[in-house]
Amino acid sequence: MIDPLAREEVPTAAPDATSPWWLSGTPLEAEHHRLMRRRNADIPWDATTVEVLSAGERARLGATWRRRAEAEYMAVSTFAVLALDLVSAMAPADVLSLCMRAGIDEVRHAELCLRMIAIYTGAHEDPPPAMSYLPDDEDRSPRDQAIANTLLVSCVSETYATTVLAATRELTTDPTAHAVLTSIYSDEVMHARLGWAYLRHAIDRHGDEVRAAAGRMVPIAVRGVANVVERERPDGEVTAAVRAHGLMTPGEERAIFARFLRAVLMPGLEALGVPCAGLADPYDDAWIAA
Ligand SMILES: [Fe+2]
Ligand SMILES: [Fe+2]
C-alpha cells in the first residue's frame, strides 16, 4: 500500500526546485514540479551579479522582491475567487481553464520571488500572508459579478502589470533578474488576455448590459491599482546598481501608470464601447510629480 505522506518517497529528481523550503516535503512535490515545468523558461540562477551590490542595495532589493512575493501570493487567491465567479456565470471553457491556469502561474511567480529574496538576503522565507477579497455584490447577477471582477483583475490589474514589467525588464541587466522578470511577464500577458477575451465574448452576446457592468467597475479598478502605485516604497536609495537588478523609481512607475491609462486601457475600453470618459484626468503631470 502507498502511504501518501511517506517521507522516504520524496523525489530526489528535482534539484531544480525554485524555492524548495516552500514545499511540503511529501511525494506531492514530483507532481508539483511537473505542473510548474510546463511553461518553464530556464532561469540562470548562477549568473546573478549580486556580489557587486552593497549591503544596503541587497537589502533594498530583498525588500522589493518581498513585496512582489506578497503580490504574487495574493494573486493565487485572486484567480481562485475569479474562477468561482466565472463558473457561476457559465463562462466558456477556454476562459475557465485559463483562469485556473493563471492561479497555478501565480504560485510559480511566488516561488520565483522567494528565490530572489534568498539571493539578495540569504534568507529562506515563505511569502508574506496575503488574501484577496474581490468585490461581491449579492444584488448583481452572476454574469455582472463575473464581468466586474474580470474587469478589475484581468483588464486593469494584470494589463497594468504587463506594462510595468515590460518597462522594468528593459532597465534590468542582471541576467537572473532579467530572466525571472521575463518569465513572469510572459504569463501576465496571458492573464490580461483572458479578461479582454471574456469581456469581448460577453459583449458580443449581451451588448450594453455587459458594457454597463464593466463600466461601473472601471473607476474602482483604476483607483485600486493607483493605491498600489502610490504606496510607500521600502527604505533605500534606487542606485544605478539597484536599477540594473530590476527596480525603478516611484516617479517612473507613476509615469508608466498614467501612460497605461491613456495608451492602453482607455483605447481598449473605447474599442469595446465600455464607458471610460475622463478616466485618466486625475493622473496628470502633477500626480506624476507628487
Ligand atoms: Fe504574477
Ligand atoms: Fe498574473
Side-chain angles (χ1 to χ4, degrees):
M1 214 179 83
I2 296 169
D3 173 1
L5 297 176
R7 283 259 161 191
E8 59 277 17
E9 298 271 335
V10 171
T12 52
D16 56 339
T18 301
S19 46
W21 60 89
W22 192 36
L23 295 171
S24 65
T26 73
L28 214 55
E29 287 185 16
E31 208 50 50
H32 173 76
H33 295 311
R34 258 195 288 282
L35 208 51
M36 292 299 153
R37 258 198 299 271
R38 280 209 335 220
R39 278 167 67 189
N40 196 12
D42 278 342
I43 307 291
W45 295 112
D46 295 337
T48 177
T49 57
V50 62
E51 67 281 352
V52 306
L53 301 171
S54 70
E57 288 168 336
R58 291 180 198 203
R60 179 71 177 83
L61 285 158
T64 291
W65 284 99
R66 195 173 293 113
R67 285 264 179 104
R68 289 174 181 166
E70 181 182 12
E72 300 290 359
Y73 186 69
M74 171 128 64
V76 178
S77 58
T78 301
F79 279 105
V81 175
L82 183 60
L84 290 178
D85 286 339
L86 290 168
V87 170
S88 173
M90 306 292 294
D94 48 347
V95 176
L96 294 180
S97 67
L98 281 163
C99 181
M100 308 291 273
R101 167 81 233 184
I104 296 174
D105 293 338
E106 303 298 4
V107 176
R108 196 172 133 263
H109 298 174
E111 288 190 288
L112 292 168
C113 292
L114 297 185
R115 178 74 169 260
M116 294 302 280
I117 297 171
I119 285 176
Y120 293 114
T121 71
H124 287 177
E125 300 180 14
D126 287 354
M131 275 290 287
S132 186
Y133 300 97
L134 294 178
D136 186 5
D137 181 348
E138 279 177 15
D139 295 334
R140 267 198 303 236
S141 70
R143 190 185 63 223
D144 284 1
Q145 166 81 9
I147 288 294
N149 282 339
T150 297
L151 191 289
L152 172 73
V153 170
S154 186
C155 302
V156 177
S157 296
E158 293 281 341
T159 306
Y160 172 64
T162 64
T163 62
V164 78
L165 272 166
T168 306
R169 238 179 112 238
E170 263 171 42
L171 55 90
T172 305
T173 55
D174 174 76
T176 306
H178 191 270
V180 168
L181 291 168
T182 301
S183 180
I184 294 176
Y185 169 76
S186 65
D187 291 334
E188 308 297 18
V189 170
M190 187 54 72
H191 300 176
R193 280 179 62 196
L194 86 88
W196 290 102
Y198 178 56
L199 190 56
R200 167 74 194 275
H201 162 89
I203 286 173
D204 283 350
R205 274 152 194 78
H206 305 285
D208 285 345
E209 287 172 32
V210 172
R211 291 189 178 96
R216 282 192 291 273
M217 183 53 91
V218 168
I220 300 166
V222 166
R223 189 59 241 164
V225 177
N227 287 343
V228 176
V229 174
E230 291 170 358
R231 194 177 163 194
E232 282 295 311
R233 295 299 189 276
D235 288 340
E237 202 191 335
V238 181
T239 61
V242 160
R243 290 170 68 76
H245 281 251
L247 189 49
M248 59 175 60
T249 64
E252 285 172 300
E253 259 182 65
R254 283 177 179 240
I256 288 167
F257 181 69
R259 185 137 185 275
F260 152 76
L261 293 176
R262 291 170 176 86
V264 180
L265 183 63
M266 291 179 71
L269 295 172
E270 282 160 5
L272 291 171
V274 175
C276 61
L279 187 65
D281 293 355
Y283 308 98
D284 54 9
D285 288 345
W287 180 80
I288 292 171

